[in-house]
Amino acid sequence: MIVAIDGPAGAGKSTVARELAARLGLTLIDTGAIYRTAAFAAKERGIAVDDDAQLATLLPALAQGLSFGAGGRVDLAGRDVSALIRSPEMSQSASAISARPVVRDALLGLQQRLGRNAPAPGAVLEGRDIGTVVFPAAEAKFFLTASPQIRAERRFLELKARGLATSVDDVLRDQEKRDRDDSTRSVAPLRQASDAVLIDSSALDLAHVVERIVKELQARKLV
């Protein structure tokens, strides 16, 4: 079983996917972390996010060296980069690099392979094009969103907890740019799949969102 959770930045996709995976015994595949890691690796090597030729040489090694561990840990060639890829700078860079066809083509297969190779009962993948491009035939699709202000406030608290100095206004401004970039890019733009269940979490806490997804899966006799 593949459960696809898409939505804009700050909607809580990663947290919901992590909780859902833990509750149902699903393998968690954080596709956003894949693109963040690509952006991080490019920066470390001095590769511009629009340098397709250099990105093409970087991506095969990235796909081989990337692995996920417990608690959302992301390793690149044995190095824990979990915190390094979660900065606002990497958020913007991930949005930019994910718009490059060479990047999406190289990492699409990786995402599909991770999903297909997940042990039973299956995997949950979160991102922006899981239900539309990566797994258009996923057994269950959800589109998670919230109001721009709520999303910005949640993201601000997350960054603050990590000791990153910013403000809600700065987060909101960065978020608006990323929403624009993700929704208007020519390759795999952010959009709700026609058969995805829309969940607006503006007035819902994590437990209620996860419960709603679980009930939908139960109604379809998938769990």
Side-chain angles (χ1 to χ4, degrees), residues 66-147:
L66 184 64
S67 62
F68 296 91
R73 174 174 172 138
V74 181
D75 286 336
L76 180 59
R79 173 188 177 192
D80 183 359
V81 297
S82 310
L84 297 172
I85 66 173
R86 297 293 179 185
S87 69
E89 179 188 2
M90 286 302 102
S91 293
Q92 293 296 338
S93 294
S95 181
I97 208 169
S98 66
R100 312 302 300 178
V102 65
V103 175
R104 299 207 77 88
D105 289 346
L107 298 182
L108 175 61
L110 171 63
Q111 297 171 71
Q112 292 173 330
R113 186 165 63 253
L114 290 170
R116 289 172 181 148
N117 292 342
V124 54
L125 294 88
E126 62 88 5
R128 285 164 178 73
D129 64 344
I130 307 303
T132 55
V133 175
V134 183
F135 282 105
E139 285 81 358
K141 303 177 187 178
F142 300 89
F143 192 87
L144 183 60
T145 190
S147 71

Coordinates of all heavy atoms in Angstrom, one line a residue, residues 66-147:
L66 N 22.2 8.1 0.1 CA 21.2 8.7 0.9 C 20.4 7.5 1.7 O 20.1 6.5 1.1 CB 20.2 9.4 0.1 CG 19.0 10.2 0.8 CD1 19.6 11.2 1.7 CD2 18.1 10.7 -0.2
S67 N 20.2 7.7 3.0 CA 19.5 6.7 3.7 C 18.7 7.4 4.8 O 19.1 8.5 5.3 CB 20.4 5.6 4.3 OG 21.3 6.2 5.2
F68 N 17.6 6.7 5.3 CA 16.8 7.3 6.3 C 16.8 6.4 7.6 O 16.9 5.1 7.4 CB 15.3 7.4 5.8 CG 15.1 8.4 4.7 CD1 15.2 7.9 3.4 CD2 14.9 9.7 5.0 CE1 15.1 8.8 2.4 CE2 14.8 10.6 3.9 CZ 14.8 10.2 2.6
G69 N 16.8 7.0 8.7 CA 16.9 6.2 10.0 C 15.7 6.6 10.9 O 14.8 7.3 10.5
A70 N 15.7 6.1 12.1 CA 14.6 6.3 13.0 C 14.5 7.8 13.4 O 15.5 8.5 13.4 CB 14.8 5.4 14.2
G71 N 13.3 8.2 13.7 CA 13.1 9.6 14.2 C 13.4 10.7 13.2 O 13.7 11.8 13.5
G72 N 13.2 10.3 11.9 CA 13.4 11.3 10.9 C 14.9 11.6 10.5 O 15.2 12.6 9.8
R73 N 15.8 10.7 11.0 CA 17.2 10.9 10.7 C 17.5 10.7 9.2 O 17.0 9.8 8.6 CB 18.1 10.0 11.5 CG 19.6 10.0 11.1 CD 20.4 9.2 12.1 NE 21.7 9.1 11.6 CZ 22.8 9.2 12.4 NH1 22.7 9.3 13.7 NH2 24.0 9.1 11.9
V74 N 18.3 11.6 8.6 CA 18.7 11.5 7.2 C 20.2 11.5 7.2 O 20.9 12.3 7.7 CB 18.2 12.8 6.4 CG1 18.7 12.6 5.0 CG2 16.7 12.9 6.5
D75 N 20.8 10.4 6.6 CA 22.2 10.2 6.4 C 22.6 10.4 5.0 O 21.9 9.9 4.1 CB 22.6 8.9 6.9 CG 22.6 8.7 8.5 OD1 22.7 9.8 9.1 OD2 22.5 7.6 9.0
L76 N 23.7 11.1 4.8 CA 24.3 11.2 3.4 C 25.7 10.7 3.5 O 26.6 11.3 4.2 CB 24.3 12.6 3.0 CG 24.9 12.9 1.6 CD1 24.1 12.1 0.5 CD2 24.9 14.4 1.3
A77 N 25.9 9.5 2.8 CA 27.2 8.9 2.9 C 27.7 8.7 4.3 O 28.9 8.9 4.6 CB 28.3 9.7 2.1
G78 N 26.8 8.2 5.2 CA 27.1 7.9 6.5 C 27.2 9.1 7.5 O 27.4 9.0 8.7
R79 N 26.9 10.3 7.0 CA 26.9 11.5 7.8 C 25.5 12.0 8.1 O 24.7 12.1 7.2 CB 27.7 12.6 7.0 CG 27.7 14.0 7.6 CD 28.3 14.9 6.7 NE 28.3 16.3 7.1 CZ 28.5 17.4 6.3 NH1 28.8 17.2 5.0 NH2 28.5 18.6 6.8
D80 N 25.2 12.3 9.4 CA 23.9 12.7 9.8 C 23.7 14.2 9.3 O 24.4 15.1 9.9 CB 23.7 12.6 11.3 CG 22.3 13.0 11.8 OD1 21.5 13.4 10.9 OD2 22.1 12.9 13.0
V81 N 22.8 14.4 8.4 CA 22.6 15.8 7.9 C 21.2 16.3 8.2 O 20.7 17.3 7.7 CB 22.8 15.9 6.4 CG1 24.2 15.6 6.0 CG2 21.8 15.0 5.6
S82 N 20.5 15.6 9.2 CA 19.1 15.9 9.5 C 18.9 17.3 9.8 O 17.9 17.9 9.3 CB 18.7 15.0 10.7 OG 19.0 13.6 10.4
A83 N 19.7 17.9 10.7 CA 19.5 19.3 11.1 C 19.9 20.3 10.0 O 19.3 21.3 9.8 CB 20.2 19.6 12.4
L84 N 21.0 19.9 9.3 CA 21.6 20.8 8.3 C 20.7 21.1 7.2 O 20.7 22.1 6.6 CB 22.9 20.2 7.8 CG 24.0 20.0 8.8 CD1 25.2 19.3 8.3 CD2 24.5 21.4 9.4
I85 N 19.8 20.1 6.8 CA 18.9 20.3 5.7 C 17.6 21.0 6.0 O 16.8 21.3 5.1 CB 18.6 19.0 5.0 CG1 17.8 18.1 5.9 CG2 19.9 18.3 4.5 CD1 17.3 16.8 5.2
R86 N 17.4 21.3 7.3 CA 16.1 21.9 7.7 C 16.1 23.4 7.9 O 15.2 24.0 8.4 CB 15.7 21.3 9.0 CG 15.4 19.8 8.9 CD 14.2 19.4 8.0 NE 14.0 18.0 7.9 CZ 13.1 17.5 7.1 NH1 12.3 18.2 6.4 NH2 12.9 16.1 7.1
S87 N 17.2 24.1 7.5 CA 17.3 25.5 7.6 C 16.4 26.2 6.6 O 16.1 25.6 5.5 CB 18.7 26.0 7.4 OG 19.1 25.8 6.1
P88 N 16.0 27.5 6.8 CA 15.2 28.2 5.8 C 15.9 28.3 4.5 O 15.3 28.3 3.4 CB 15.0 29.6 6.5 CG 15.1 29.3 7.9 CD 16.1 28.2 8.1
E89 N 17.2 28.5 4.5 CA 18.0 28.5 3.3 C 17.9 27.3 2.5 O 17.7 27.3 1.2 CB 19.5 28.8 3.6 CG 20.4 28.8 2.3 CD 21.9 28.8 2.6 OE1 22.2 28.8 3.8 OE2 22.6 28.9 1.7
M90 N 17.9 26.1 3.1 CA 17.8 24.8 2.4 C 16.3 24.6 1.9 O 16.1 24.0 0.9 CB 18.2 23.7 3.3 CG 19.7 23.5 3.5 SD 20.6 23.4 2.0 CE 21.3 25.0 1.7
S91 N 15.4 25.2 2.6 CA 14.0 25.2 2.2 C 13.8 25.8 0.8 O 13.2 25.3 -0.1 CB 13.0 25.8 3.2 OG 13.0 25.1 4.4
Q92 N 14.4 27.1 0.7 CA 14.3 27.8 -0.6 C 15.1 27.1 -1.7 O 14.7 27.0 -2.8 CB 14.8 29.2 -0.4 CG 13.9 30.1 0.5 CD 12.5 30.3 0.0 OE1 12.3 30.2 -1.2 NE2 11.6 30.6 0.8
S93 N 16.3 26.6 -1.3 CA 17.2 25.9 -2.3 C 16.5 24.7 -2.8 O 16.6 24.3 -4.0 CB 18.5 25.6 -1.7 OG 19.2 26.8 -1.4
A94 N 15.9 23.9 -1.9 CA 15.2 22.7 -2.2 C 14.1 23.0 -3.2 O 13.9 22.2 -4.2 CB 14.6 22.0 -1.0
S95 N 13.3 24.1 -3.0 CA 12.3 24.5 -3.9 C 12.8 24.8 -5.3 O 12.3 24.4 -6.3 CB 11.5 25.7 -3.4 OG 10.5 26.0 -4.3
A96 N 14.0 25.5 -5.3 CA 14.6 25.8 -6.6 C 15.2 24.6 -7.3 O 15.0 24.5 -8.5 CB 15.7 26.9 -6.4
I97 N 15.9 23.8 -6.6 CA 16.5 22.6 -7.2 C 15.5 21.6 -7.7 O 15.7 20.9 -8.7 CB 17.5 22.0 -6.3 CG1 18.7 21.3 -7.1 CG2 16.9 21.0 -5.3 CD1 19.9 20.9 -6.2
S98 N 14.4 21.5 -7.0 CA 13.4 20.5 -7.4 C 12.6 20.9 -8.6 O 11.9 20.1 -9.2 CB 12.3 20.3 -6.2 OG 11.6 21.5 -6.0
A99 N 12.8 22.2 -9.1 CA 12.1 22.6 -10.3 C 13.0 22.3 -11.5 O 12.5 22.4 -12.7 CB 12.0 24.1 -10.3
R100 N 14.2 21.7 -11.3 CA 15.0 21.4 -12.5 C 14.7 20.0 -13.0 O 14.7 19.0 -12.2 CB 16.5 21.4 -12.0 CG 17.0 22.6 -11.3 CD 16.8 23.9 -12.1 NE 17.5 23.9 -13.3 CZ 17.4 24.9 -14.2 NH1 16.6 26.0 -13.9 NH2 18.1 24.9 -15.3
P101 N 14.3 19.9 -14.3 CA 13.9 18.5 -14.8 C 15.0 17.5 -14.6 O 14.7 16.3 -14.3 CB 13.7 18.8 -16.3 CG 13.3 20.3 -16.3 CD 14.1 20.9 -15.2
V102 N 16.3 17.9 -14.7 CA 17.4 16.9 -14.5 C 17.3 16.3 -13.1 O 17.6 15.1 -12.9 CB 18.7 17.5 -14.8 CG1 19.1 18.6 -13.8 CG2 19.8 16.4 -14.8
V103 N 17.0 17.1 -12.1 CA 16.9 16.7 -10.7 C 15.7 15.8 -10.5 O 15.8 14.7 -9.9 CB 16.8 17.9 -9.8 CG1 16.7 17.4 -8.3 CG2 18.1 18.7 -9.9
R104 N 14.5 16.2 -11.0 CA 13.3 15.4 -10.8 C 13.4 14.1 -11.5 O 13.0 13.0 -11.0 CB 12.1 16.2 -11.2 CG 11.9 17.5 -10.5 CD 10.4 17.9 -10.5 NE 9.7 17.1 -9.5 CZ 9.5 17.5 -8.2 NH1 10.1 18.5 -7.8 NH2 8.8 16.7 -7.4
D105 N 14.0 14.1 -12.7 CA 14.2 12.8 -13.4 C 15.1 11.9 -12.7 O 14.8 10.6 -12.6 CB 14.7 13.1 -14.8 CG 13.7 13.7 -15.7 OD1 12.5 13.8 -15.4 OD2 14.2 14.2 -16.8
A106 N 16.2 12.4 -12.1 CA 17.1 11.5 -11.4 C 16.6 11.0 -10.1 O 16.9 9.9 -9.7 CB 18.4 12.3 -11.2
L107 N 15.8 11.8 -9.4 CA 15.3 11.4 -8.1 C 13.9 10.7 -8.1 O 13.5 10.1 -7.1 CB 15.3 12.6 -7.2 CG 16.7 13.2 -6.9 CD1 16.6 14.4 -5.9 CD2 17.7 12.2 -6.4
L108 N 13.2 10.8 -9.2 CA 11.9 10.1 -9.3 C 12.0 8.6 -9.1 O 11.3 8.0 -8.4 CB 11.3 10.4 -10.7 CG 9.9 9.7 -11.0 CD1 8.9 10.1 -10.0 CD2 9.5 10.0 -12.4
G109 N 13.0 8.1 -9.8 CA 13.2 6.6 -9.7 C 13.6 6.2 -8.3 O 13.1 5.1 -7.8
L110 N 14.3 7.0 -7.6 CA 14.7 6.7 -6.2 C 13.5 6.7 -5.3 O 13.3 5.8 -4.5 CB 15.7 7.8 -5.7 CG 16.0 7.7 -4.2 CD1 16.7 6.4 -3.9 CD2 16.9 8.9 -3.8
Q111 N 12.6 7.7 -5.5 CA 11.4 7.7 -4.7 C 10.5 6.5 -4.9 O 10.0 5.9 -4.0 CB 10.7 9.0 -4.9 CG 11.4 10.3 -4.6 CD 10.7 11.5 -5.0 OE1 9.7 11.9 -4.5 NE2 11.3 12.2 -6.1
Q112 N 10.4 6.2 -6.2 CA 9.5 5.1 -6.6 C 10.1 3.8 -6.0 O 9.4 2.9 -5.6 CB 9.3 5.0 -8.1 CG 8.5 6.2 -8.6 CD 8.4 6.2 -10.1 OE1 9.4 5.8 -10.8 NE2 7.4 6.8 -10.6
R113 N 11.4 3.6 -6.1 CA 12.1 2.4 -5.7 C 11.9 2.3 -4.1 O 11.6 1.2 -3.7 CB 13.5 2.4 -6.1 CG 14.3 1.2 -5.7 CD 15.6 1.1 -6.5 NE 16.5 2.2 -6.0 CZ 16.8 3.3 -6.8 NH1 16.3 3.4 -8.0 NH2 17.7 4.2 -6.4
L114 N 12.1 3.3 -3.4 CA 11.9 3.3 -2.0 C 10.5 2.9 -1.6 O 10.3 2.1 -0.7 CB 12.3 4.7 -1.4 CG 13.8 5.1 -1.4 CD1 13.9 6.5 -1.0 CD2 14.6 4.2 -0.5
G115 N 9.5 3.4 -2.3 CA 8.1 3.1 -2.0 C 7.8 1.7 -2.3 O 7.2 0.9 -1.5
R116 N 8.2 1.2 -3.5 CA 7.9 -0.2 -3.9 C 8.6 -1.2 -3.1 O 8.1 -2.3 -2.9 CB 8.3 -0.3 -5.4 CG 7.4 0.4 -6.4 CD 7.9 0.4 -7.8 NE 7.1 1.1 -8.7 CZ 7.5 1.8 -9.8 NH1 8.8 1.7 -10.0 NH2 6.7 2.4 -10.6
N117 N 9.8 -0.9 -2.6 CA 10.6 -1.9 -1.9 C 10.3 -1.9 -0.4 O 10.9 -2.7 0.4 CB 12.1 -1.6 -2.1 CG 12.6 -1.9 -3.5 OD1 11.9 -2.6 -4.2 ND2 13.7 -1.4 -3.8
A118 N 9.4 -1.0 0.1 CA 9.0 -1.0 1.5 C 8.3 -2.3 1.9 O 7.5 -2.8 1.1 CB 8.1 0.2 1.7
P119 N 8.7 -2.8 3.0 CA 8.0 -4.0 3.5 C 6.5 -3.8 3.8 O 6.1 -2.6 4.0 CB 8.8 -4.4 4.8 CG 9.3 -3.1 5.3 CD 9.6 -2.3 4.0
A120 N 5.7 -4.9 3.8 CA 4.3 -4.8 4.2 C 4.2 -4.2 5.6 O 5.1 -4.4 6.4 CB 3.7 -6.1 4.1
P121 N 3.2 -3.4 5.8 CA 2.0 -3.1 5.0 C 2.2 -2.1 3.9 O 1.2 -1.8 3.1 CB 0.9 -2.7 6.0 CG 1.7 -2.0 7.0 CD 3.0 -2.7 7.2
G122 N 3.3 -1.4 3.8 CA 3.5 -0.4 2.8 C 4.3 0.8 3.2 O 5.0 0.8 4.2
A123 N 4.1 1.9 2.5 CA 4.8 3.1 2.8 C 3.9 4.4 2.7 O 2.9 4.4 2.0 CB 6.0 3.3 1.8
V124 N 4.3 5.4 3.5 CA 3.7 6.7 3.4 C 4.7 7.6 2.9 O 5.9 7.7 3.4 CB 3.1 7.2 4.7 CG1 4.1 7.1 5.8 CG2 2.5 8.6 4.6
L125 N 4.4 8.4 1.8 CA 5.3 9.3 1.2 C 4.7 10.7 1.3 O 3.5 10.9 1.0 CB 5.6 9.0 -0.3 CG 6.4 7.7 -0.5 CD1 5.5 6.5 -0.7 CD2 7.3 7.9 -1.8
E126 N 5.5 11.7 1.7 CA 4.9 13.1 1.7 C 5.8 14.0 0.8 O 7.0 13.8 0.7 CB 4.8 13.6 3.1 CG 6.2 13.7 3.9 CD 6.9 15.0 3.7 OE1 6.3 15.9 3.0 OE2 8.0 15.1 4.2
G127 N 5.1 14.9 0.2 CA 5.8 15.8 -0.7 C 4.9 16.8 -1.4 O 3.9 17.3 -0.8
R128 N 5.2 17.1 -2.6 CA 4.3 18.0 -3.4 C 3.7 17.4 -4.7 O 2.8 18.0 -5.3 CB 5.1 19.3 -3.7 CG 5.3 20.2 -2.5 CD 6.4 21.2 -2.7 NE 6.4 22.1 -1.5 CZ 6.9 21.7 -0.3 NH1 7.4 20.5 -0.2 NH2 7.0 22.5 0.7
D129 N 4.3 16.3 -5.1 CA 3.8 15.7 -6.3 C 3.7 14.1 -6.2 O 3.8 13.4 -7.2 CB 4.7 16.0 -7.5 CG 6.1 15.5 -7.3 OD1 6.5 15.1 -6.2 OD2 6.8 15.4 -8.3
I130 N 3.5 13.7 -5.0 CA 3.5 12.2 -4.8 C 2.2 11.6 -5.4 O 2.3 10.6 -6.2 CB 3.4 11.9 -3.3 CG1 4.6 12.5 -2.5 CG2 3.5 10.3 -3.1 CD1 6.0 12.2 -3.1
G131 N 1.1 12.2 -5.2 CA -0.1 11.7 -5.8 C -0.4 12.0 -7.2 O -1.2 11.4 -7.9
T132 N 0.4 12.9 -7.8 CA 0.2 13.3 -9.2 C 1.3 12.8 -10.1 O 1.0 12.5 -11.3 CB 0.2 14.9 -9.3 OG1 1.4 15.4 -8.7 CG2 -1.0 15.5 -8.6
V133 N 2.5 12.6 -9.6 CA 3.6 12.2 -10.5 C 4.3 11.0 -10.0 O 4.5 10.0 -10.7 CB 4.7 13.4 -10.6 CG1 5.9 12.9 -11.4 CG2 4.0 14.6 -11.2
V134 N 4.7 10.9 -8.7 CA 5.5 9.8 -8.2 C 4.7 8.5 -8.1 O 5.1 7.5 -8.6 CB 6.1 10.2 -6.8 CG1 7.0 9.0 -6.3 CG2 6.9 11.5 -6.9
F135 N 3.5 8.6 -7.5 CA 2.7 7.5 -7.4 C 1.2 7.9 -7.7 O 0.4 7.9 -6.8 CB 2.7 6.8 -6.0 CG 3.9 6.0 -5.7 CD1 5.0 6.5 -4.9 CD2 4.1 4.7 -6.3 CE1 6.1 5.7 -4.7 CE2 5.2 4.0 -6.1 CZ 6.2 4.4 -5.3
P136 N 1.0 8.1 -9.0 CA -0.4 8.5 -9.4 C -1.4 7.4 -9.2 O -2.6 7.7 -9.1 CB -0.3 8.8 -10.9 CG 1.0 8.1 -11.3 CD 1.9 8.1 -10.2
A137 N -1.0 6.2 -9.0 CA -1.9 5.1 -8.7 C -1.9 4.7 -7.3 O -2.3 3.6 -6.9 CB -1.6 3.9 -9.6
A138 N -1.4 5.6 -6.4 CA -1.4 5.2 -4.9 C -2.8 4.8 -4.4 O -3.8 5.4 -4.9 CB -0.9 6.5 -4.2
E139 N -2.8 3.9 -3.5 CA -4.1 3.4 -3.0 C -4.9 4.5 -2.2 O -6.1 4.5 -2.2 CB -3.9 2.2 -2.1 CG -3.6 0.9 -2.8 CD -2.1 0.8 -3.2 OE1 -1.3 1.8 -3.0 OE2 -1.7 -0.2 -3.8
A140 N -4.1 5.4 -1.6 CA -4.8 6.5 -0.9 C -4.0 7.8 -1.0 O -2.8 7.8 -0.9 CB -4.9 6.1 0.6
K141 N -4.7 8.9 -1.3 CA -4.0 10.2 -1.5 C -4.7 11.2 -0.6 O -5.9 11.3 -0.5 CB -4.1 10.6 -2.9 CG -3.5 9.7 -3.9 CD -3.8 10.2 -5.4 CE -3.3 9.2 -6.4 NZ -3.6 9.7 -7.8
F142 N -3.9 12.1 0.0 CA -4.4 13.1 0.8 C -3.7 14.4 0.5 O -2.5 14.4 0.2 CB -4.2 12.8 2.3 CG -4.9 11.6 2.8 CD1 -4.3 10.3 2.7 CD2 -6.2 11.6 3.2 CE1 -4.9 9.2 3.1 CE2 -6.9 10.5 3.6 CZ -6.2 9.2 3.5
F143 N -4.4 15.5 0.5 CA -3.8 16.9 0.3 C -4.0 17.6 1.6 O -5.1 18.0 1.9 CB -4.4 17.6 -0.9 CG -3.7 18.8 -1.3 CD1 -2.6 18.6 -2.3 CD2 -3.9 20.0 -0.9 CE1 -1.9 19.7 -2.7 CE2 -3.2 21.1 -1.3 CZ -2.2 21.0 -2.2
L144 N -2.9 17.9 2.3 CA -2.9 18.5 3.6 C -2.5 20.0 3.4 O -1.5 20.3 2.8 CB -1.9 17.9 4.5 CG -1.9 18.4 6.0 CD1 -3.2 18.2 6.7 CD2 -0.8 17.6 6.7
T145 N -3.4 20.9 3.9 CA -3.1 22.3 3.9 C -3.6 23.0 5.1 O -4.1 22.4 6.1 CB -3.8 22.9 2.6 OG1 -3.3 24.3 2.4 CG2 -5.3 22.9 2.8
A146 N -3.3 24.3 5.2 CA -3.8 25.2 6.3 C -3.6 26.6 5.8 O -3.0 26.9 4.8 CB -2.9 24.9 7.6
S147 N -4.2 27.5 6.6 CA -4.1 28.9 6.1 C -2.6 29.4 6.1 O -1.8 28.9 6.9 CB -4.9 29.8 7.1 OG -4.2 29.9 8.4

